[in-house]
Amino acid sequence: MEKVVTLGEFIIEKQSDFHGSTGEFSSLLSAIRLASKIVNQQVNKAGLMQHILGSAGGQNIQGEEQQKLDVFANDQFIKALIGRKVICGIASEENDEYIPINNDGRYIIAMDPLDGSSNIDVNVSIGTIFSIYNRITPVGHQVRAEDFLQKGSKQVAAGYVIYGSSTMLVYTTGNGVHGFTYDPGIGVYFLSHPDMKFPDAGKMYSMNEGNVNKCSAGVKQYVDYCKHIDSATKRPYTARYIGSLVADFHRNLIKGGIYLYPATTDAPQGKLRLLYECNPLAFIAEQAGGKASDGHRNIMEIEPTSLHQRVPYFVGPKSMVDKLEDFIKQE
Ligand code: AHG
Ligand code: MN
Ligand code: MN
């Protein structure tokens, strides 16, 4: 019979893979696992909360103040992380400033607690993204901005949760990408996707193409290339865009496709955030045989200058991102 492995067992088994691990990383990941289960439960009730039990911002049946799901998710992740002594600071999309926690903790985390918020009300997949670093300032002191403003290449772990037709947690510590599917009946994540890799030849592209006329010539030409008919390279590619980065990335990782969120005339720096959207998915992409770029440089080589910095973003199988960069070079 095939062996069944839970996320908990897997983390313990792989603990030695994790840089000098003493069980601290297991503790960190179990906080993320716990919060994701609570958020999963709430996500699955979102329609009830909104249409049956009262709208967000109102009161629920117990007379408690209801929160929007992204604030709820933020609170749940922060609460779970504060409970573990290993984290010294948190940066979140939902907080203007970073939050110092336990001065003796060795890891910092940057997160997008609820990605794809425009899809909550319409029953479409959403997610959580996280990125983990060792601190730079000495243990025992309060964290400072420099602890958070590290290049993506310094990440020690990264992952995402997708709340989709089933809920999955996917993460890397730099030894491949592993995916776990949640069984809500018993509250356990099981290893379902060991050592995930992008298929070599991708055949999909994902972009909010409504913006294409606001993009640079190279991006426009690449999108034309995706649509061009050429049976040898399996073009035209299939267009798929969900509008939740996690869900678009996850589909592209499994099926083979490139995700594009370029700079536009309205958003010259792009829309997506370097620290808690682009870098973690870049780390996962590289570990899965892919690549992430701002069109010119490897995303993970960008020196961050602010917590909520935005960046143009292209991520997918290496060959697809290389091709896109060729078009941008010729602009
Ligand atoms: P968030 O919900 O965390 O603010 O992120 C939204 C992001 C990302 O998930 C998605 O890919 C992108 O915004 C969609 O943007 P457009 O609506 O401009 O396509
Ligand atoms: Mn997001
Ligand atoms: Mn978000």
Side-chain angles (χ1 to χ4, degrees):
M1 240 178 17
E2 220 173 301
K3 200 176 152 210
V4 175
V5 180
T6 68
L7 175 57
E9 287 165 340
F10 189 85
I11 299 166
I12 292 167
E13 204 175 292
K14 298 281 171 188
Q15 202 154 275
S16 55
D17 283 358
F18 197 70
H19 321 260
S21 183
T22 52
E24 289 171 297
F25 180 68
S26 313
S27 167
L28 196 173
L29 209 56
S30 75
I32 291 169
R33 179 177 53 176
L34 171 65
S36 76
K37 291 179 189 179
I38 298 170
V39 171
N40 172 68
Q41 199 189 29
Q42 201 70 10
V43 164
N44 283 304
K45 298 199 293 208
L48 281 171
M49 301 308 273
Q50 217 197 358
H51 298 293
I52 297 169
L53 304 177
S55 65
Q59 290 194 332
N60 67 14
I61 209 152
Q62 285 97 31
E64 294 160 339
E65 203 65 21
Q66 279 174 25
Q67 291 176 323
K68 284 203 182 306
L69 206 49
D70 32 20
V71 177
F72 177 84
N74 194 40
D75 289 351
Q76 293 305 321
F77 276 93
I78 291 175
K79 213 190 284 178
L81 291 164
I82 285 178
R84 318 285 158 139
K85 298 271 177 276
V86 294
I87 298 275
C88 52
I90 303 173
S92 166
E93 185 191 7
E94 301 300 328
N95 297 86
D96 290 348
E97 307 291 339
Y98 60 82
I99 309 166
I101 312 181
N102 169 25
N103 291 350
D104 293 325
R106 61 181 282 194
Y107 298 118
I108 73 111
I109 182 164
M111 65 175 179
D112 178 353
L114 212 292
D115 174 65
S117 11
S118 70
N119 281 326
I120 296 170
D121 295 348
V122 289
N123 242 323
V124 172
S125 300
I126 50 183
T128 296
I129 314 174
F130 59 92
S131 167
I132 296 162
Y133 294 82
N134 280 313
R135 64 184 303 164
I136 292 180
T137 53
V139 172
H141 293 74
Q142 187 170 304
V143 281
R144 297 209 302 253
E146 67 195 84
D147 290 306
F148 296 92
L149 301 180
Q150 300 189 52
K151 289 196 293 192
S153 57
K154 302 275 183 201
Q155 289 173 103
V156 294
Y160 62 83
V161 182
I162 175 168
Y163 311 98
S165 45
S166 53
T167 289
M168 277 188 73
L169 191 152
V170 175
Y171 81 95
T172 185
T173 56
N175 287 295
V177 179
H178 307 291
F180 301 81
T181 303
Y182 185 58
D183 181 338
I186 50 173
V188 174
Y189 280 102
F190 289 102
L191 179 62
S192 51
H193 295 64
D195 203 14
M196 298 171 84
K197 296 280 179 217
F198 279 106
D200 286 338
K203 295 192 287 286
M204 289 187 184
Y205 73 104
S206 317
M207 175 185 169
N208 182 342
E209 226 179 310
N211 290 333
V212 79
N213 289 325
K214 297 179 183 173
C215 297
S216 69
V219 172
K220 266 189 228 168
Q221 282 156 11
Y222 179 73
V223 174
D224 283 344
Y225 166 88
C226 292
K227 298 197 246 191
H228 188 81
I229 299 171
D230 175 42
S231 54
T233 50
K234 303 247 171 37
R235 286 178 292 147
Y237 296 152
T238 293
R240 287 283 185 275
Y241 190 70
I242 296 166
S244 297
L245 171 63
V246 166
D248 282 306
F249 178 85
H250 184 71
R251 186 207 47 246
N252 288 341
L253 174 58
I254 291 176
K255 303 263 189 188
I258 182 170
Y259 177 91
L260 304 92
Y261 211 111
T264 62
T265 44
D266 298 343
Q269 307 305 320
K271 177 181 185 187
L272 300 178
R273 316 292 185 130
L274 176 60
L275 261 56
Y276 43 79
E277 292 182 317
C278 302
N279 272 336
L281 299 186
F283 189 18
I284 292 173
E286 263 192 28
Q287 286 291 315
K291 176 174 172 176
S293 165
D294 69 351
H296 306 277
R297 306 171 278 181
N298 183 327
I299 283 290
M300 291 195 285
E301 288 310 319
I302 299 173
E303 292 277 2
T305 52
S306 68
L307 278 189
H308 301 287
Q309 183 172 343
R310 297 175 195 271
V311 72
Y313 195 50
F314 309 100
V315 64
K318 188 173 178 310
S319 57
M320 294 183 100
V321 179
D322 284 345
K323 186 80 189 170
L324 166 88
E325 282 182 334
D326 288 345
F327 278 97
I328 290 179
K329 266 186 214 131
Q330 286 159 27
E331 271 174 3

